[in-house]
Amino acid sequence: MGVAKARLAAVSAAVLVGSVLVAAPAEASGANWLKPVVTGVDSPRGVSTFWSKVIYSTGDGSVWEAWSSGKKIRKLGTVPGGFAPAIDTNVWGTTYALTGAGGEPGAPLTPGAATLYKLWPGHAPIKIADIGKYQAKDPDPYNQADSPTESNPFGVAALRDGTVLVADAANNDLLRVWPNGHVKTVARLKPRMVKVPSGYPPPPDFPPAGTPVNSEAVATSVTVGSDGYWYVGELRGFPATPGTSQIWRIKPGSVGAVCDPYKPYKGNCQRWADGYTSIVDLAGGPRGAIAAVQLARDSWLRWELSGQPTAVGSLIVQWPNKWHYGGPRKEVARGKLQLPGGAAWSRWGELYVSSPVFGPGAIYRVH
């Protein structure tokens, strides 16, 4: 799984030398099309909403506010890292920004990396918690490669009570952070045995197709569903086999839960959905819907191996069944999103998405 950790660390540091990306189509006809809301955005990623506002992050670490009509209001702040942070805004209008590992994979964390900030317009970002410092004393017991104390926070969700959830893609866990900086481990995601897909380079670079590999979860995303439960999405580590990323449903208030793919319906963390590929963000919507952002339809590793500067990603909306687990799902704006990075629902059920995470892009509303 070290490859996936390295890849996400590289993504967090925007290490794609020479890549020139093309923004997704501005508008298209059909049942689901994209309407640009905020354009001229450099490497957009995080998206959140508050009443009639859309909040988003850009590649230089800045976080902005705009009306849902697209008119910019103000800059909320800039955090370190050189990559668009994960963001979320709570019901009281407070926006949080989460920085990733930054720097080279495996290297010591750079100043301001792996840190949760609160943004206050007109002021410097307020540091809430050093996630990397916490993880240094909270090793991943299911680690398959690299250091079990590595940290690369990648997903964030702000709760009504002022606490914040953080999904760590290197430590494969979900954390809860209090306003005073106190941190607890909510749940750990166990690895899953998957088979190496075909189409990869032959040995010794890669194991033969069909080889079983114990692949780490890579927890990239977290959101709160309309049922109040906490949902976590996986990227899936090496060999990034398509269709093996899961979405987990965690009981609110849990501490020390285990998300186990071999006992998926036991305990406080249970599998909500399966069959996804390279999830990088989740968004809780109306009537139990969860929107999942897939960075690349064919997996992050196939994109990396292709040598192409961009890849078609996807945005999938899934609803629960009568037992509260994943039921019917639908891909929206199919084929129109290049390397999407984040998504959010408004209180009125409007769905927003950012694309692409590298290069000139926009924040879109899905129609």
Side-chain angles (χ1 to χ4, degrees), residues 22-34 297 311-315 331-340 353 355-356 364 367:
V22 179
E27 204 165 304
S29 60
N32 292 113
W33 49 275
L34 300 172
R297 294 173 60 95
V312 176
S314 53
L315 179 61
E331 182 176 353
V332 298
R334 183 178 176 86
K336 299 167 186 172
L337 290 168
Q338 301 289 330
L339 296 178
V353 62
S355 171
Y364 300 94
H367 284 255

Side-chain angles (χ1 to χ4, degrees), residues 166-212:
V166 170
D168 196 311
N171 213 272
N172 300 321
D173 59 4
L174 178 67
L175 309 176
R176 188 178 184 185
V177 182
W178 273 259
N180 64 358
H182 180 65
V183 183
K184 283 188 178 181
T185 301
V186 171
R188 298 188 184 278
L189 282 65
K190 295 184 71 172
R192 182 183 199 181
M193 194 67 70
V194 302
K195 292 183 178 180
V196 176
S198 60
Y200 285 177
D205 295 330
F206 284 81
T211 302

Side-chain angles (χ1 to χ4, degrees), residues 27-364:
E27 204 165 304
S29 60
N32 292 113
W33 49 275
L34 300 172
K35 178 179 178 60
V37 175
V38 183
T39 58
V41 181
D42 180 33
S43 303
R45 182 189 167 207
V47 187
S48 65
T49 64
F50 179 68
W51 289 90
S52 296
K53 298 175 184 177
V54 177
I55 302 95
Y56 59 95
S57 63
T58 60
D60 66 351
S62 297
V63 180
W64 297 82
E65 245 181 4
W67 295 115
S68 56
S69 61
K71 183 180 179 180
K72 285 186 180 180
I73 302 173
R74 58 185 173 178
K75 182 178 180 179
L76 297 181
T78 300
V79 295
F83 179 67
I87 64 169
D88 197 28
T89 304
N90 67 17
V91 295
W92 314 112
T94 301
T95 295
Y96 295 86
L98 178 70
T99 58
E104 293 296 323
L109 294 173
T110 57
T115 300
L116 177 67
Y117 295 91
K118 180 167 67 173
L119 301 181
W120 194 261
H123 299 271
I126 300 170
K127 180 179 176 179
I128 301 298
D130 185 331
I131 305 301
K133 183 178 180 180
Y134 175 81
Q135 297 290 39
K137 298 180 180 180
D138 186 51
D140 175 13
Y142 310 115
N143 183 68
Q144 300 297 300
D146 304 319
S147 169
T149 59
E150 274 192 316
S151 178
N152 185 19
F154 211 79
V156 63
L159 304 181
R160 296 181 64 94
D161 65 358
T163 61
V164 180
L165 299 176
V166 170
D168 196 311
N171 213 272
N172 300 321
D173 59 4
L174 178 67
L175 309 176
R176 188 178 184 185
V177 182
W178 273 259
N180 64 358
H182 180 65
V183 183
K184 283 188 178 181
T185 301
V186 171
R188 298 188 184 278
L189 282 65
K190 295 184 71 172
R192 182 183 199 181
M193 194 67 70
V194 302
K195 292 183 178 180
V196 176
S198 60
Y200 285 177
D205 295 330
F206 284 81
T211 302
V213 174
N214 204 22
S215 175
E216 291 190 24
V218 191
T220 55
S221 43
V222 58
T223 193
V224 180
S226 61
D227 59 358
Y229 275 68
W230 304 341
Y231 293 79
V232 176
E234 303 173 336
L235 181 85
R236 181 58 54 206
F238 178 85
T241 306
T244 61
S245 293
Q246 303 160 107
I247 298 175
W248 296 95
R249 181 175 183 259
I250 300 173
K251 184 178 179 180
S254 295
V255 176
V258 177
C259 308
D260 188 346
Y262 302 104
K263 298 177 182 178
Y265 305 112
K266 300 289 185 180
N268 286 345
C269 179
Q270 300 189 13
R271 181 193 288 156
W272 188 75
D274 198 356
Y276 283 88
T277 301
S278 299
I279 296 174
V280 290
D281 198 25
L282 295 178
R287 297 180 295 280
I290 300 292
V293 179
Q294 299 186 142
L295 181 69
R297 294 173 60 95
D298 294 330
S299 89
W300 62 268
L301 185 53
R302 286 192 186 277
W303 165 52
E304 182 179 6
L305 293 173
S306 73
Q308 298 298 314
T310 190
V312 176
S314 53
L315 179 61
I316 296 175
V317 178
Q318 182 155 2
W319 292 267
N321 62 24
K322 63 181 179 180
W323 296 283
H324 302 292
Y325 296 104
R329 65 180 74 172
K330 176 184 179 182
E331 182 176 353
V332 298
R334 183 178 176 86
K336 299 167 186 172
L337 290 168
Q338 301 289 330
L339 296 178
W345 298 85
S346 74
R347 63 185 298 125
W348 295 283
E350 298 168 322
L351 181 57
Y352 296 85
V353 62
S354 62
S355 171
V357 292
F358 296 105
I363 309 300
Y364 300 94

